[in-house]
Amino acid sequence: ARLRSWPVEEKNGAVYLYFDKEGREPAFDVPEVPEYASPEWTDVIRRDWVVASCAQEMAENSVDPAHFRYVHKTADLPEAKAWSEGPVFRANLDYPVAVGDGIQHGTIDIYAHGMGIGVTYFRGIVDTAVLVSGTPLDRGRVHHRLSFMVRKRESEEATQAIAQAFTSEIARQFDEDIPIWENKIYLEQPALSDGDGPIGEVRRWARQFY
């Protein structure tokens, strides 16, 4: 099989490759990320990891409300909604964060274009766009990359302080997820509770890529 590029010279400052074992052309396009070219957003802050897992297992984590509360210590269980639009998987989470003596609500909007590329938006607390990409290295490892862009604040100093703090917090939470990804067992028919979120929707969407 051959690796083929999407029919674009460059998009979002990156080169994208598509693999199909039958050598077919890509059936969908990669997402536009307008924040890359906007002066209202910071330059990209990149983080990357090699995780002993697979793309689908990592995707299921994003719609699991219980882990936000008990692993990442959000103030309460987020509300999660998920649906698919062809090759694009959509999810929306309303997540509460303790701020001082109160609780502030933010949202996470997820757009996954196939199993390897997507954009996640954090809104309401620190507006952040994250280009999410994962490349399987072999049957048991994924090279996962997060490229952060944060909406600029009133000054360069405030922008840099908030951007570094927020991206470091998301990276810290990612580190907390790694032991779960690397040790969980895949069950064809898991025993789900009410707090486990729309994992079935992720699995139904993922079938089209196998």
Side-chain angles (χ1 to χ4, degrees):
R2 290 181 293 168
L3 285 173
R4 300 191 177 197
S5 64
W6 265 274
V8 292
E9 294 180 6
E10 183 179 309
K11 181 177 278 192
N12 307 328
V15 174
Y16 294 86
L17 296 177
Y18 176 89
F19 175 79
D20 185 284
K21 68 178 182 179
E22 305 296 338
R24 293 169 294 197
E25 295 290 338
F28 56 93
D29 200 3
V30 292
E32 295 281 356
V33 186
E35 291 77 12
Y36 261 103
S38 173
E40 298 178 2
W41 294 75
T42 64
D43 292 338
V44 173
I45 302 170
R46 292 186 171 87
R47 301 283 188 273
D48 72 300
W49 297 259
V50 174
V51 182
S53 185
C54 67
Q56 182 177 324
E57 291 278 16
M58 298 176 75
E60 289 182 13
N61 183 74
S62 65
V63 294
D64 175 18
H67 100 281
F68 284 94
R69 175 70 181 92
Y70 298 105
V71 178
H72 303 318
K73 309 303 182 186
T74 56
D76 203 347
L77 287 175
E79 295 183 12
K81 301 175 184 177
W83 65 100
S84 57
E85 301 166 352
V88 180
F89 178 79
R90 292 284 317 278
N92 172 267
L93 294 94
D94 172 61
Y95 71 102
V97 178
V99 178
D101 295 330
I103 295 177
Q104 186 172 346
H105 286 264
T107 60
I108 304 175
D109 290 306
I110 297 169
Y111 302 78
H113 294 246
M115 297 296 289
I117 189 74
V119 188
T120 296
Y121 290 96
F122 294 84
R123 298 184 173 99
I125 298 175
V126 178
D127 289 348
T128 304
V130 188
L131 183 64
V132 181
S133 60
T135 304
L137 300 177
D138 50 39
R139 291 185 66 85
R141 295 180 304 150
V142 176
H143 186 187
H144 202 79
R145 304 171 184 85
L146 300 181
S147 300
F148 299 89
M149 292 145 283
V150 178
R151 188 185 295 277
K152 292 180 179 178
R153 295 300 180 97
E154 63 279 359
S155 69
E156 178 67 19
E157 292 77 12
T159 296
Q160 291 303 316
I162 291 171
Q164 289 298 330
F166 192 74
T167 56
S168 294
E169 172 60 17
I170 299 303
R172 184 190 68 80
Q173 293 185 19
F174 192 97
D175 287 336
E176 291 177 330
D177 288 327
I178 291 175
I180 300 172
W181 288 323
E182 295 192 335
N183 290 281
K184 68 183 295 210
I185 297 172
Y186 179 85
L187 297 176
E188 191 86 19
Q189 296 181 323
L192 300 176
S193 70
D194 291 341
D196 283 326
I199 291 172
E201 185 63 37
V202 178
R203 293 188 175 187
R204 283 187 289 272
W205 165 76
R207 286 178 190 146
Q208 66 187 293
F209 305 112
Y210 287 94

